[in-house]
Amino acid sequence: MKKIGIVLLCLLLPWASAFAKQDKKLTAEVLWELSRIGNPIISPKGEYIIAPVTQYDVKEDKGDTQLWLFAKDGSSQRALTVKGLRASEAVFSPDGKTLAFISKRNKDDAGQVYLLPMDGPGEAARLTDIPGGVYGIKWVGKHIYFISRIFPGKNWKEMKEQLKADKDDKVSAHQWNALPYSSFDHWIDEDRQAHVFRIPAKGGEVEAITQAFDRELPRSSQSSASYDIDPSERWIAFNSNGWDNQVDAKIDIFLGKIGSGKLENITPDNNAPDRNPKFSPDGKTLAFTRQLIHGFYGDTARLILFDMKKRTERKLAADWDRSVSRFSWTPNSKGFYASIADAAVNRIYHINAKNGKVKAITDHTDYGRPMMAKDGTLVATNQSFTYPARLVSINPKSGKVKRLDSFNDEILADVDMGTYESVTYKGYNGDDIQMWVNYPPGFDSSKKYPLLMLIHGGPHGAISDSFHYRWNAQTFASWGYVTAWPNFHGSGSFGQKFTDSINPDWKNKSLEDIYKATEWFKQKPWIDNKRLAAGGGSYGGYLSSIILGQEDNPFNALFIHAAVYNMYSQMAADFAVHGTRFGHYWDKPEIYKSISPHYGAKNFNTPSLVIHGQLDYRVPVGQGFELFRTLQSRGVESRMIYFPDENHWILKPNNSIYWYHEVKDWVTKFAEPGAK
């Protein structure tokens, strides 16, 4: 009866429904209602724009990805692939008349290549039937290239039999005789190798490409970015480990003439990674990225051009102190468009291939990887703290942006968003530190609000002006907190010196930056200095654990997700901190003792929520249980949340919603939300 009365009241009183509409916040539940647009592709001549769109069903606890077709004037959008049949990695044929993508349909045991005509009606037809599936596809000339993980020495029939036998085997044991044994959230089968293959686009026999060179792709991870084929289909450039040491792989670029068996390592003198090989459309140049410090994943990635005829290389934009990533050649082979992180904003840049001149095309808010057609149409995704990724076209001269999709407009129309800004404060040694501040909806500077200090992971990434689903600043702010994301020392996009400044001392500079950020807020009349909370994940969890171990810290409570807590037991991970570059703990024990959070246990006295996933092989779950047992042994109020089916991130809809609610309940208990 009470529910009926409330409904009738809302129907009879317009102001009641208006109030309810105004009061809608960006909750965790709303986040999972939103459609998520991925990086677009555009046909060679610019007739078609395709992007993957993922939508989630919370009740079913799963997502579904379809490919959508968009008009380049923004006038229409429609689904190309069937709902319920996941589609990914779409690529166009050279003439733009056919779309290839990966899907698992009908009786497929794994993802296969499907072809869909673009110039008329028709169903997608399967092209491949590869045991174990395919990924990393490219369409060059008359062939479609792909990666598959195979058992060396076995043909496709034998491989299919082996996979079935492994599936039916009652023994669950894994065995390794060398690294790597895991990557992020999955185990690596050392009996299998990742290789590039090709198949005629019209169908036919599958041809092994990299197997002919007796060289596999990197064992830890591979994707379409791991290799490229020149337009003539004569050459393949691909990544492989350049030495026998699998513990600290040397990622080189190998250049091979397809069908000849002749292979050349074109980056033998650089021990750090050379990645992302991409041939120019005219086939004259191979571009790739280069880092110089082995064992430092945050090292600046430089753009290198390799002349295919002269067999010489040159560095492009040599004096530019930013990492080049997510780049695409222009159709005329005269330059590149790239999404590049610069001072905590992912901007679209043009890089001149001749003189290295760099020009920013966009300014505020974040952009994804750009793609350009021969007619000059440039497309990418665009997002900010206050709206999720949108599909846009960008005028390459003026930077003017035109939105091409209409996803999420109806859902977000009545969501009351807060505001945000970028500020700069003085951190360690008086250095300038950039920080994002997100304000709760209806923020009133005449009142006092609690602070929620968020500490990002990495540590060598950066929080940019983007819509983060797993740690959404506007969602946190909607609870009634002023939410901070500081880009402390070690964060990327502020230059090599700043990014490398915390190595090998992960602790002190970043810690002081967090403390100085907190002091910056405490000086503001609209912050309640008695209601302060903080938390972070991965490296952010590490730094939260460091804060936990300080004799005095300003926070009422902490939430600590997937934290590197014990630097010694981090050796169980797929990534061991500092070992390659600075030496392992048996060589340099003083480094690890000075920065490992577990040495601060005697000072633990701040209520802490600890969260970890079983499938996290980047920071193994034992780290979380070590921290929780230590807190309990110290008598500190604490709670452990364990996800048996999640990895380093919480990715399932219901688990994510639960995560947000648990974090909210925890910080609310110790730092009451809302204005006073």
Side-chain angles (χ1 to χ4, degrees):
M1 291 297 293
K2 290 182 179 180
K3 290 183 179 179
I4 294 174
I6 292 172
V7 172
L8 288 174
L9 182 64
C10 290
L11 291 173
L12 293 171
L13 299 177
W15 61 264
S17 60
F19 177 79
K21 180 179 179 180
Q22 185 181 19
D23 197 43
K24 185 176 179 182
K25 301 294 195 299
L26 187 66
T27 62
E29 287 80 0
V30 172
L31 290 177
W32 286 99
E33 291 179 35
L34 300 174
S35 299
R36 307 185 186 188
I37 303 177
N39 288 324
I41 62 170
I42 188 167
S43 58
K45 296 179 181 179
E47 315 101 305
Y48 309 111
I49 299 169
I50 305 288
V53 179
T54 302
Q55 297 169 318
Y56 288 88
D57 185 328
V58 174
K59 185 178 180 180
E60 296 294 328
D61 203 36
K62 63 182 181 180
D64 179 67
T65 301
Q66 294 174 270
L67 299 177
W68 283 67
L69 174 66
F70 300 86
K72 64 181 178 182
D73 62 359
S75 62
S76 65
Q77 59 185 46
R78 65 179 178 89
L80 273 183
T81 58
V82 180
K83 191 174 181 62
L85 299 176
R86 294 179 69 92
S88 63
E89 298 197 51
V91 295
F92 278 107
S93 59
D95 63 8
K97 294 181 179 181
T98 307
L99 186 73
F101 59 92
I102 295 175
S103 187
K104 183 179 177 182
R105 304 183 173 202
N106 303 320
K107 297 181 180 180
D108 294 340
D109 293 323
Q112 303 293 340
V113 176
Y114 280 79
L115 303 181
L116 182 68
M118 296 297 299
D119 55 359
E123 293 292 329
R126 189 179 69 182
L127 177 68
T128 62
D129 184 16
I130 303 297
V134 306
Y135 57 101
I137 65 173
K138 294 175 184 284
W139 194 328
V140 183
K142 298 180 180 180
H143 293 87
I144 292 177
Y145 295 78
F146 60 87
I147 302 171
S148 189
R149 296 183 64 246
I150 63 161
F151 293 98
K154 294 184 182 294
N155 59 34
W156 297 121
K157 180 182 178 181
E158 292 169 336
M159 183 170 169
K160 186 174 183 178
E161 292 170 349
Q162 181 67 58
L163 289 171
K164 185 179 185 305
D166 291 346
K167 184 178 180 180
D168 295 340
D169 195 346
K170 303 305 180 184
V171 176
S172 61
H174 294 267
Q175 181 184 124
W176 295 280
N177 298 282
L179 292 178
Y181 52 79
S182 66
S183 178
F184 199 77
D185 64 353
H186 62 275
W187 303 116
I188 296 174
D189 186 345
E190 71 177 5
D191 292 331
R192 295 172 69 177
Q193 296 180 353
H195 283 282
V196 177
F197 298 85
R198 74 178 179 186
I199 184 172
K202 293 183 178 180
E205 294 296 319
V206 173
E207 179 184 357
I209 303 300
T210 51
Q211 269 188 292
F213 303 120
D214 193 27
R215 180 164 291 277
E216 63 182 307
L217 273 62
R219 296 190 62 80
S220 289
S221 62
Q222 326 82 28
S223 69
S224 61
S226 303
Y227 77 99
D228 201 25
I229 309 295
D230 85 307
S232 70
E233 297 193 81
R234 294 178 61 207
W235 300 95
I236 180 173
F238 66 98
N239 281 133
S240 186
N241 187 1
W243 56 26
D244 293 333
N245 179 5
Q246 291 286 0
V247 178
D248 298 310
K250 178 182 183 295
I251 304 301
D252 284 329
I253 291 180
F254 288 79
L255 185 64
K257 193 171 183 179
I258 295 175
S260 72
K262 296 180 180 178
L263 188 68
E264 175 187 4
N265 183 347
I266 63 171
T267 61
D269 299 327
N270 180 37
N271 289 347
D274 293 285
R275 294 194 176 103
N276 307 305
K278 291 185 181 179
F279 285 100
S280 59
D282 63 13
K284 295 180 180 179
T285 308
L286 176 68
F288 57 89
T289 58
R290 167 172 291 167
Q291 294 177 303
L292 298 178
I293 302 176
H294 187 48
F296 177 32
Y297 76 87
D299 186 32
T300 300
R302 300 139 183 98
L303 189 59
I304 307 297
L305 300 187
F306 179 84
D307 189 300
M308 289 292 293
K309 184 177 181 180
K310 298 179 181 178
R311 288 297 196 269
T312 57
E313 66 174 45
R314 60 188 175 94
K315 187 190 302 182
L316 207 58
D319 298 327
W320 195 38
D321 198 12
R322 294 293 183 267
S323 279
V324 176
S325 61
R326 295 176 291 181
F327 68 90
S328 300
W329 280 96
T330 58
N332 61 10
S333 301
K334 293 183 178 180
F336 306 89
Y337 284 100
S339 171
I340 294 175
D342 174 35
V345 178
N346 289 304
R347 315 177 203 275
I348 300 295
Y349 280 87
H350 177 266
I351 305 174
N352 188 298
K354 183 177 181 180
N355 57 27
K357 184 177 179 180
V358 176
K359 178 185 177 182
I361 306 299
T362 62
D363 187 8
H364 302 293
T365 68
D366 266 28
Y367 291 82
R369 184 197 66 200
M371 296 287 286
M372 177 177 266
K374 293 178 181 178
D375 68 353
T377 303
L378 183 66
V379 295
T381 55
N382 172 235
Q383 60 181 313
S384 83
F385 279 109
T386 55
Y387 57 85
R390 300 168 172 174
L391 181 64
V392 298
S393 62
I394 306 162
N395 186 310
K397 293 184 179 180
S398 68
K400 185 178 179 180
V401 172
K402 180 179 178 59
R403 187 177 175 191
L404 303 182
D405 79 284
S406 59
F407 284 106
N408 301 317
D409 289 354
E410 185 176 345
I411 296 173
L412 295 176
D414 59 347
V415 171
D416 190 8
M417 290 282 193
T419 59
Y420 73 98
E421 65 174 327
S422 174
V423 302
T424 302
Y425 68 94
K426 297 296 182 181
Y428 172 84
N429 199 35
D431 293 342
D432 285 341
I433 304 297
Q434 185 274 340
M435 177 167 62
W436 298 104
V437 183
N438 279 261
Y439 299 96
F443 175 76
D444 184 348
S445 61
S446 67
K447 298 180 179 180
K448 288 185 177 292
Y449 292 81
L451 171 68
L452 183 55
M453 177 68 66
L454 300 179
I455 306 172
H456 75 69
H460 303 298
I463 291 299
S464 58
D465 189 358
S466 61
F467 197 85
H468 204 300
Y469 283 97
R470 288 176 288 105
W471 290 64
N472 192 285
Q474 281 290 315
T475 298
F476 292 132
S478 76
W479 301 343
Y481 294 88
V482 172
T483 303
W485 272 121
N487 280 311
F488 42 76
H489 278 83
S491 301
S493 80
F494 296 92
Q496 176 77 11
K497 182 179 179 181
F498 189 84
T499 303
D500 202 16
S501 64
I502 65 167
N503 294 318
D505 179 6
W506 260 20
K507 173 183 173 182
N508 291 296
K509 294 178 183 178
S510 305
L511 176 64
E512 186 167 334
D513 288 343
I514 296 298
Y515 276 17
K516 290 289 181 65
T518 308
E519 286 300 318
W520 183 90
F521 279 106
K522 290 173 73 173
Q523 300 305 312
K524 304 302 177 185
W526 34 266
I527 287 293
D528 185 344
N529 295 342
K530 295 182 179 180
R531 292 186 289 160
L532 309 176
S538 194
Y539 175 85
Y542 161 86
L543 202 54
S544 298
S545 301
I546 288 290
I547 292 170
L548 177 64
Q550 301 306 295
E551 290 188 8
D552 57 343
N553 75 69
F555 301 108
N556 302 61
L558 298 165
F559 64 100
I560 305 173
H561 179 101
V564 177
Y565 168 66
N566 185 328
M567 283 288 188
Y568 301 96
S569 53
Q570 180 62 17
M571 283 293 287
D574 65 356
F575 170 74
V577 176
H578 295 334
T580 299
R581 187 178 178 190
F582 297 105
H584 293 288
Y585 64 81
W586 54 85
D587 294 319
K588 298 291 182 67
E590 65 278 6
I591 292 177
Y592 299 87
K593 187 172 184 178
S594 67
I595 64 174
S596 188
H598 78 284
Y599 279 108
K602 69 178 181 180
N603 297 320
F604 287 4
N605 60 18
T606 304
S608 297
L609 173 65
V610 182
I611 310 170
H612 224 113
Q614 178 66 46
L615 306 181
D616 187 353
Y617 306 149
R618 177 54 44 99
V619 181
V621 69
Q623 297 272 357
F625 282 112
E626 283 185 54
L627 174 56
F628 178 60
R629 175 172 282 276
T630 304
L631 286 162
Q632 289 284 303
S633 299
R634 292 279 303 151
V636 179
E637 186 171 359
S638 52
R639 179 181 300 160
M640 177 78 193
I641 297 178
Y642 163 77
F643 291 95
D645 54 351
E646 297 283 6
N647 57 37
H648 200 53
W649 303 329
I650 308 304
L651 299 177
K652 295 184 176 180
N654 286 282
N655 283 344
S656 172
I657 292 170
Y658 175 83
W659 183 95
Y660 271 106
H661 283 294
E662 287 296 313
V663 170
K664 180 181 179 181
D665 289 347
W666 187 260
V667 297
T668 295
K669 181 178 181 180
F670 301 99
E672 184 184 358
K676 289 185 177 182

